[in-house]
Amino acid sequence: MYKAPRGTSDILPKEQAYWKHIEEKAASLCQLYGYQPLSTPIFEDSQLFARTVSGGTDLVDKEMYIFEDRSGQKLALRAEGTAPVCRAYLEHGFFNLPQPVKLYYVGPAFRYERPQAGRYRQHQQFGVEAIGSADPALDVEVIEMAQRFLLSLGLSSFSIQLNSIGCNLCQPKYIEVLKSHYSNYIAYLCPDCKVRMLKNPLRLLDCKKASCQKIAETAPKIPDYLCPECQAHFQSVQQYLGILGISFKLNHRLVRGLDYYTRTVFEVGPQKEGAQSVLVGGGRYDNLIEQLGGKATPAVGFAAGIERFILNLKRAKIYVPLPPKPAAFIAYLGEEAKIEAIKLAAELRQVGLAVVKAIDDKSLKGQLRQANSLEASHVIIIGEREVKTQSVVLRDMIENKQKIVPVTEIARVLNREQKTR
Ligand code: HAM
């Protein structure tokens, strides 16, 4: 028997309420801050990710789903949302609009990772991108949005970690200092860090191995090496966060897993848990649009993993609104009653009443069992006598009472019952 591919899962009907709730909260948050929706394709030219996310990150080296289409073009399943949004920004000439252009998206991302709780090969991201301004107030706006998003879902015990990783000017100088620190410990580095040393030294700070973490603890701190402009930017971000009363923790080892970041980086998650517990990750990416062939255009954004939000809502026993139950289940007994039931179901749906009609000529017991499993508050029963008298039996499944109602009255009665529930 076939199964969903490893690291993917079906979202069953009983789970859908979580998805709908979170996506509705995301949309209203974006409306509140003036971000407009944008949908990009599920696959893109593989170079879009390879160039921008950059070599030396796990995402490019090991995790992308790359395939050739029938014309031989190399494509990649969307690995993350930022590069596609920037591609669309350039393709549609959004640089001609008043800046910054503020966009958001909800959609799947694909990464060939080792699956575990909170880490999947297909996951759903809600992301925001504000493109066209270097104002630190915009960094603070997206951090504030991330915080408001969690709070709007009832998630309150989390922390915001903040760092600045500098710019083209100061970051290379810091990397030299960092490499020289690590060169004293080469023999003690894990095999991955030996590769990072050559390909992506900043990521050395992020290694989860205990032996490497010891070396990271004593490493020089990037905020001490920022150029005056990056330093001023970082100070303003902290100052504005303070003005808004948003608490954060400075973490000089926070570097993020993608390579396009400059200056501000941040993550939101529960304290002291593994990487797969990070709920929101983001930061500034002032060089990305230029890397894609546009003019130098600063930008900042974040993405949130919906599955991780659902895990946290369940852990915190936060319940989400359930979809409405049917107003009534229509049961029938006999062929003539079946025809009346078909007609009545169509009439009630026509006036906007959600009804489920029995199918397959089951016994009354079987039909009532189905009504119960649908949690219908009322059952309409039509038998031979009801056909003759142009009426129905209306059974209230909650109060366990029943009454005879003329067919012409049933829509009005159901409507009234719904309002009083
Ligand atoms: P990211 O940190 O790679 O950043 O992913 C964003 C969020 O997606 C993570 O914080 C996490 O909640 C979720 N996530 C990532 N990988 C997985 C996975 N394998 N399974 C489940 N959830 C996952 C980005 O993708 C950047 N584009 C964020 C950004 C937007 N930066 C600036 N703008």
Side-chain angles (χ1 to χ4, degrees):
M1 199 124 67
Y2 290 113
K3 287 193 166 171
R6 193 161 129 78
T8 73
S9 49
D10 303 311
I11 305 165
L12 301 178
K14 64 178 171 38
E15 291 288 302
Q16 295 282 345
Y18 283 100
W19 292 78
K20 183 164 177 278
H21 182 62
I22 293 175
E23 290 180 14
E24 278 173 4
K25 289 284 181 198
S28 50
L29 177 84
C30 289
Q31 205 262 329
L32 198 62
Y33 284 79
Y35 286 64
Q36 293 191 304
L38 171 76
S39 306
T40 62
I42 301 272
F43 56 85
E44 297 268 358
D45 189 319
S46 66
Q47 282 303 306
L48 177 69
F49 300 109
R51 282 227 200 106
T52 57
V53 175
S54 206
T57 63
D58 284 348
L59 187 53
V60 167
D61 291 349
K62 304 181 201 151
E63 295 172 4
M64 284 224 290
Y65 279 91
I66 297 181
F67 62 98
E68 264 185 27
D69 71 6
R70 285 168 194 275
S71 71
Q73 196 190 351
K74 223 169 159 194
L75 299 164
L77 292 186
R78 180 168 60 208
E80 60 97 47
T82 309
V85 168
C86 291
R87 194 254 319 126
Y89 171 94
L90 288 171
E91 187 172 335
H92 303 287
F94 285 0
F95 41 80
N96 291 318
L97 301 173
Q99 307 289 302
V101 174
K102 298 176 174 184
L103 302 162
Y104 81 92
Y105 49 89
V106 179
F110 303 86
R111 299 177 184 181
Y112 188 80
E113 296 197 269
R114 199 161 51 81
Q116 53 186 285
R119 179 173 291 154
Y120 313 102
R121 291 186 174 168
Q122 174 177 345
H123 70 276
Q124 187 85 346
Q125 285 195 354
F126 154 51
V128 307
E129 313 292 352
I131 307 175
S133 167
D135 190 334
L138 200 56
D139 310 34
V140 171
E141 179 175 283
V142 301
I143 296 172
E144 187 200 11
M145 278 180 90
Q147 188 194 50
R148 196 181 294 277
F149 184 51
L150 273 100
L151 291 174
S152 73
L153 288 161
L155 295 169
S156 51
S157 54
F158 54 86
S159 81
I160 299 172
Q161 308 235 357
L162 184 72
N163 194 17
S164 171
I165 57 168
C167 65
N168 282 351
L169 225 62
C170 50
Q171 198 187 81
K173 289 181 195 152
Y174 170 71
I175 286 176
E176 285 316 309
V177 181
L178 185 70
K179 274 167 60 178
S180 125
H181 169 77
Y182 271 84
S183 61
N184 300 318
Y185 304 97
I186 294 277
Y188 305 99
L189 291 180
C190 73
D192 281 345
C193 278
K194 285 190 175 129
V195 178
R196 287 185 187 122
M197 187 74 177
L198 300 170
K199 281 183 144 185
N200 194 349
L202 265 192
R203 295 282 292 164
L204 287 165
L205 293 170
D206 198 33
C207 184
K208 303 290 175 284
K209 302 255 162 45
S211 51
C212 296
Q213 289 205 346
K214 266 200 189 137
I215 306 168
E217 269 161 29
T218 55
K221 300 178 179 163
I222 192 161
D224 297 338
Y225 293 83
L226 297 177
C227 63
E229 288 75 17
C230 287
Q231 225 159 48
H233 185 96
F234 195 32
Q235 284 308 319
S236 298
V237 169
Q238 295 177 58
Q239 185 200 348
Y240 299 160
L241 284 171
I243 287 167
L244 289 177
I246 296 175
S247 321
F248 56 90
K249 286 192 179 138
L250 291 177
N251 176 358
H252 66 89
R253 283 166 53 191
L254 179 68
V255 290
R256 307 273 302 127
L258 309 165
D259 239 17
Y260 47 60
Y261 290 107
T262 51
R263 293 190 166 170
T264 311
V265 287
F266 71 96
E267 283 183 354
V268 189
Q271 287 157 322
K272 287 190 184 163
E273 280 194 51
Q276 73 277 16
S277 66
V278 175
L279 288 159
V280 180
R284 202 161 253 296
Y285 47 96
D286 290 346
N287 302 329
L288 184 52
I289 297 269
E290 199 177 4
Q291 263 175 283
L292 291 174
K295 279 196 304 196
T297 310
V300 59
F302 73 70
I306 308 249
E307 290 83 353
R308 293 189 188 177
F309 273 78
I310 295 176
L311 278 177
N312 277 275
L313 288 179
K314 286 183 178 170
R315 258 184 221 150
K317 298 207 172 2
I318 296 171
Y319 299 103
V320 298
L322 293 173
K325 307 287 181 230
F329 181 88
I330 305 179
Y332 62 86
L333 290 164
E335 189 54 29
E336 279 180 73
K338 180 175 188 175
I339 289 164
E340 290 306 314
I342 292 171
K343 286 196 305 198
L344 183 60
E347 279 164 25
L348 293 177
R349 289 172 184 146
Q350 182 68 23
V351 296
L353 282 162
V355 293
V356 176
K357 188 185 65 60
I359 218 98
D360 275 348
D361 308 342
K362 290 192 189 106
S363 67
L364 185 59
K365 201 170 156 206
Q367 297 184 60
L368 292 180
R369 199 180 310 126
Q370 194 185 350
N372 264 328
S373 87
L374 292 169
E375 295 177 45
S377 60
H378 290 84
V379 179
I380 294 169
I381 306 169
I382 310 175
E384 265 175 46
R385 197 180 45 205
E386 286 72 36
V387 176
K388 282 198 192 106
T389 55
Q390 284 294 294
S391 60
V392 301
V393 174
L394 181 65
R395 183 179 290 189
D396 186 323
M397 301 293 277
I398 296 159
E399 308 264 313
N400 218 4
K401 287 195 287 200
Q402 64 182 45
K403 59 184 173 190
I404 308 282
V405 179
V407 172
T408 48
E409 290 292 300
I410 188 69
R412 197 179 54 76
V413 174
L414 274 180
N415 256 323
R416 196 184 54 211
E417 293 283 341
Q418 282 221 303
K419 280 188 194 123
T420 55
R421 283 283 144 85

